[in-house]
Amino acid sequence: MRLSHITFLLVNGSKKHMKYTAKNFHLHYIPQYKLLIKTGFIEDTLVVLDENNEIQVLHSYPSNLPDSEATKLLGLPFQKVFITVALQGLVFIPTEVYNENDSSLYQQFLPDDKISRTHKINIESIDVTGCYQFDLLAHNKWKVIFPTAKFIPNFCMVLQQAQAHIPLQGEVFGLHMNDNQVELFAFKNGKFQFYQIFDVHNKNDLNYFILNACKSIGISPKMDKILVSGLASDHQYIPLLEGFSTNLVFIKPTVKIQSENSEVQEKLNPLNVLIDSQICA
């Protein structure tokens, strides 16, 4: 009888990187499994799901130092692979005025002038079209490993998941955290206001960007509600966010997945974007 196993890599004396394999994980089911990959600049996370959305593998490791188990997983012939990758540039255009013939105009607002690197997606729920470019090095790295994978930008999923929490009246501020990048967004009276990405390395950085965003779009830093994506409830940034609002709403994924292990189930909470990436592709 094969038993599931779970281990943690200790970083500075605390549990950090999880390595979990379910007892029912079998290599001959690889063609039926889905592989979800959350990439970052600090940590990568691999999630393997079976046809019933039961977690077979949850494995995280330093982005620049994959361990032997991660390397073996990435070498398996998965047929269904979904990868979230950081962006290099992003611009939004109201869908009602978006015109494919104006691509060169939109390109001016992106850091790379190569149109071949630019992707677009229409987010019907908020009537905007996003033109974006993936981080060049990260995208190329994962494209080599999984040439047919579906690559998903975080904002696509974050904005869709946020819709359930946007009232027709009032202001809503939100953020998605991915390693040392924060993606801030806001709605006012049900209307999409902005979405911007910043590099943050500490609480002071995050505090500055939130205050600056509030000032630029004219909303109070004392907020009724903050939508939180990509963070666990015990993350070091949570006390800072509670200073802006006592009502933190942690965004949940639409897709229901499960694990026989309670510790694994708990680790899923900040992976809302990754879990739903399979329906955004």
Side-chain angles (χ1 to χ4, degrees), residues 149-185:
K150 302 290 186 181
F151 290 86
I152 296 92
N154 292 323
F155 76 85
C156 163
M157 232 31 272
V158 171
L159 290 174
Q160 289 192 36
Q161 292 175 341
Q163 286 307 296
H165 307 284
I166 307 300
L168 294 178
Q169 298 294 324
E171 301 167 344
V172 176
F173 193 89
L175 79 156
H176 172 73
M177 199 77 204
N178 181 34
D179 283 352
N180 59 353
Q181 281 194 334
V182 65
E183 307 186 14
L184 302 179
F185 59 95

Side-chain angles (χ1 to χ4, degrees), residues 123-139:
I123 306 178
E124 296 181 1
S125 58
I126 57 174
D127 297 320
V128 299
T129 295
C131 295
Y132 60 96
Q133 294 176 336
F134 289 114
D135 180 88
L136 181 61
L137 294 178
H139 188 238

Side-chain angles (χ1 to χ4, degrees), residues 43-58:
E43 180 182 78
D44 291 343
T45 299
L46 312 178
V47 176
V48 177
L49 300 174
D50 66 14
E51 293 176 306
N52 297 315
N53 279 332
E54 181 87 23
I55 291 188
Q56 299 301 308
V57 175
L58 176 58

Side-chain angles (χ1 to χ4, degrees), residues 263-279:
E263 285 191 84
V264 170
Q265 199 70 39
E266 183 179 338
K267 285 290 183 179
L268 296 177
N269 293 334
L271 298 179
N272 53 293
V273 166
L274 180 66
I275 292 169
D276 274 359
S277 65
Q278 54 189 303
I279 62 173

